[in-house]
């Protein structure tokens, strides 16, 4: 469920970013979530209340809800507004207004409808220790970072306002606070080219200071009334044609590690806003189909989710993948089938550095392993319900958590795991 914040001045000066009057920067009013938000005066309570009703009317189960807060740079908004906005979300889901955000979050732990994931969007250069502590206190579990390009020359040309140094630091702080991390990446920017885009994608996973858990790929589009539009009109920028973009996206998908989920491969913007750039809305479907035909399918988490498929314990195997990150180590535990085509459940375990104030949970300076994510896929079931053919509520999560606790204790001497 997407909930949009009020229009607010973004600190960025990016040449490609649209700014529509009455909308948060980078968002356009005909996008579905934006339409709802504008009609409801960007009130978080009303947005959530309406969306829940829509889900229930269409027969969806609403006892477990994932929230994404959108609207530009979350960290740049006033502190009190951020707190009240998040409180409004929890109040709407709880069906009652609490006195404080802490009270609302506590109430949600036993409410009929529960927030199981809460995501915000921000810029890497706005991620500080104080900001991380605040969003963690608000129940945020995932942060989407506007990275766009891991190349300082491209960042300078596009006036991004930060470089790869800030991306690495933001990633380190968030990872040590137990957050899931999503990078927004933009191929086809001025200063880049197909070869460089593919190389930057490889760097995202080879650089130990990066290595996100999720990515959203937004190929650059030319939107009127932006600096990039003026550059395009002057003949100083030419976007990729559909065939070139498809080839780039195929390499990006094929090179994505199994522990990463590609949330999006293109952004579906209404044609009326696009002066130049690909408007092929089924590009992801075309990319995935061609990769399968070429014998090198995408192995990202999304492409391997079991979804509504049948689950059977005897066809599942336990896997463990370890990889280094800046200042610590990541362990990706999973249950999947033997040929890697279907993923049933996974857990992300963070082994934090010895000295990190954001990685300390509890008292007496104890060092805990951090379970940053635990997810079981398949048919969505209400809390407490079981189904013999479904993967959810079959004990996969308990098994993964038990193995994470064992690894943290036996291999790294951790006191316990914090979720």
């Amino acid at each position: 469920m997407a909930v949009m914040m009020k229009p607010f001045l973004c600190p960025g000066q990016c040449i490609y970013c649209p700014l529509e009057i009455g909308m948060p920067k980078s968002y356009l009013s005909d996008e579905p979530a934006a339409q709802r938000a504008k009609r409801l005066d960007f009130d978080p309570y009303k947005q959530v209340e309406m969306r829940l009703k829509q889900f229930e009317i269409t027969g969806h189960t609403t006892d477990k809800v994932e929230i994404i807060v959108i609207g530009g740079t979350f960290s740049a908004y006033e502190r009190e507004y951020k707190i009240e906005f998040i409180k409004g979300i929890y109040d709407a889901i709880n069906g009652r207004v609490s006195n404080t955000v802490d009270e609302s979050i506590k109430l949600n732990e036993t409410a009929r409808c529960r927030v199981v994931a809460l995501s915000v969007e921000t810029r890497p250069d706005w991620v500080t220790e104080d900001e991380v502590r605040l969003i963690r206190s608000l129940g945020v579990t995932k942060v989407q970072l506007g990275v766009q390009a891991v190349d300082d020359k491209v960042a300078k040309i596009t006036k991004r306002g930060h470089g790869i140094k800030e991306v690495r630091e933001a990633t380190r702080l968030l990872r040590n606070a137990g957050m899931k991390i999503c990078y927004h990446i933009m191929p086809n920017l001025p200063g880049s080219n197909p070869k460089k885009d593919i190389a930057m994608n490889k760097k995202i996973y080879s650089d130990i200071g990066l290595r996100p858990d999720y990515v959203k790929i937004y190929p650059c589009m030319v939107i009127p009334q932006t600096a990039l539009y003026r550059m395009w009109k002057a003949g100083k920028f030419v976007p990729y044609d559909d065939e070139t973009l498809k080839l780039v996206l195929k390499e990006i998908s094929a090179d994505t590690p199994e522990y990463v989920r590609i949330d999006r491969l293109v952004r579906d913007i209404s044609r009326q806003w696009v002066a130049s750039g690909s408007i092929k809305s089924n590009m992801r479907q075309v990319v995935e189909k061609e990769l399968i035909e070429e014998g090198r399918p995408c192995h990202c988490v999304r492409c391997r989710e079991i979804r509504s498929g049948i689950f059977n314990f005897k066809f599942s195997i336990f896997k463990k993948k370890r990889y280094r990150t800046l200042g610590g180590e990541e362990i990706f535990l999973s249950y999947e089938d033997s040929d890697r085509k279907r993923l049933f459940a996974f857990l992300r375990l963070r082994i934090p550095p010895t000295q990190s104030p954001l990685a300390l949970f509890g008292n007496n300076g104890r060092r805990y392993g951090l379970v940053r994510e635990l997810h079981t896929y398949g048919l969505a079931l209400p809390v407490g319900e079981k189904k013999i053919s479904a993967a959810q509520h079959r004990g996969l999560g308990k098994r993964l958590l038990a193995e994470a606790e064992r690894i943290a204790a036996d291999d790294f001497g951790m006191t316990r795991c914090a979720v």
Side-chain angles (χ1 to χ4, degrees), residues 4 85 88 112 160 346 379 396:
M4 180 172 278
F85 192 89
R112 181 187 67 83
R160 180 60 192 164
F346 72 83
L379 182 67
L396 293 178

Side-chain angles (χ1 to χ4, degrees), residues 43-57:
D43 185 306
Y45 192 103
K46 293 179 180 178
Q47 290 181 66
V48 171
E49 186 179 49
M50 173 180 280
R51 199 70 175 123
L52 284 175
K53 287 179 181 177
Q54 291 173 338
F55 284 139
E56 289 169 354
I57 289 171

Side-chain angles (χ1 to χ4, degrees), residues 12 135 201 214 219 274:
I135 62 176
N201 183 70
Y214 295 77
V274 183

Side-chain angles (χ1 to χ4, degrees), residues 147-189:
V147 173
Q148 319 310 355
V150 289
D151 182 288
D152 286 352
K153 290 183 179 179
V154 174
K156 185 175 181 180
I157 292 170
T158 57
K159 297 184 179 180
R160 180 60 192 164
H162 67 77
I164 194 170
K165 176 183 176 183
E166 289 79 8
V167 177
R168 289 192 183 105
E169 178 61 9
T171 302
R172 183 186 70 84
L173 287 173
L174 292 168
R175 189 171 268 137
N176 284 340
M179 300 287 178
K180 300 185 288 288
I181 300 163
C182 176
Y183 283 3
H184 289 192
I185 301 296
M186 192 174 287
N188 190 25
L189 285 170

Side-chain angles (χ1 to χ4, degrees), residues 82-101:
K82 289 185 286 190
I83 294 173
E84 285 303 308
F85 192 89
I86 298 298
K87 178 179 178 294
I89 291 173
Y90 279 106
D91 285 345
I93 290 177
N94 293 339
R96 56 178 282 191
V97 177
S98 298
N99 294 319
T100 66
V101 68

Side-chain angles (χ1 to χ4, degrees), residues 190-383:
S192 191
N193 55 59
K195 185 177 180 180
K196 181 176 284 189
D197 283 340
I198 294 169
M200 283 193 286
N201 183 70
K202 291 181 182 294
K203 183 174 184 176
I204 288 172
Y205 305 117
S206 63
D207 187 324
I208 66 169
L210 304 176
R211 295 182 172 172
D213 310 302
Y214 295 77
V215 291
K216 286 184 177 179
I217 311 297
Y218 294 125
C220 183
M221 296 179 177
V222 179
I223 310 296
Q225 300 182 11
T226 62
L228 182 62
Y229 177 80
R230 295 188 289 273
M231 183 185 294
W232 171 73
K233 289 287 284 186
K236 297 180 180 179
F237 174 66
V238 179
Y240 303 159
D241 57 33
D242 281 354
E243 186 63 23
T244 302
L245 178 61
K246 182 184 71 174
L247 293 174
V248 171
L249 294 180
K250 282 171 65 175
E251 296 309 311
I252 287 175
S253 297
D255 284 340
T256 302
E258 295 178 9
Y259 62 83
V260 175
R261 188 182 197 272
I262 303 179
D263 277 348
R264 286 192 182 180
L265 201 59
V266 293
R267 182 177 178 182
D268 189 12
I269 294 180
S270 174
R271 295 187 180 197
Q272 67 170 326
W273 296 102
V274 183
S276 184
S278 178
I279 53 174
K280 195 176 183 70
S281 60
N282 70 331
M283 181 67 82
R284 181 169 196 159
Q285 182 182 9
V286 172
V287 166
E288 291 176 354
K289 180 176 181 292
E290 290 193 8
L291 286 174
I292 291 172
E293 291 173 349
E294 294 169 11
R296 52 186 192 124
C298 176
H299 289 296
C300 86
V301 168
R302 184 181 183 276
C303 287
R304 297 187 299 124
E305 295 168 8
I306 186 176
R307 299 179 187 175
S308 59
I310 302 298
F311 169 75
N312 191 317
F313 263 115
K314 72 178 181 180
F315 296 127
S316 68
I317 61 173
F318 173 76
K319 289 189 176 182
K320 178 170 67 174
K321 178 178 179 59
R322 293 169 68 160
Y323 56 98
R324 289 183 59 215
T325 55
L326 190 63
E329 189 168 353
E330 291 289 325
I331 302 173
F332 185 80
L333 307 175
S334 64
Y335 278 102
E336 48 194 271
D337 60 12
S338 57
D339 58 4
R340 304 191 305 169
K341 290 182 179 178
R342 297 194 304 168
L343 176 65
F344 306 126
F346 72 83
L347 181 149
R348 301 184 193 275
L349 173 63
R350 169 70 169 169
I351 304 301
T354 305
Q355 298 296 326
S356 176
L358 290 174
L360 294 177
F361 289 72
N363 300 318
N364 304 320
R366 292 172 178 168
R367 186 166 167 244
Y368 290 2
L370 307 181
V371 176
R372 298 190 300 112
E373 181 172 16
L374 176 57
H375 204 127
T376 299
Y377 289 106
L379 182 67
L381 298 176
V383 173

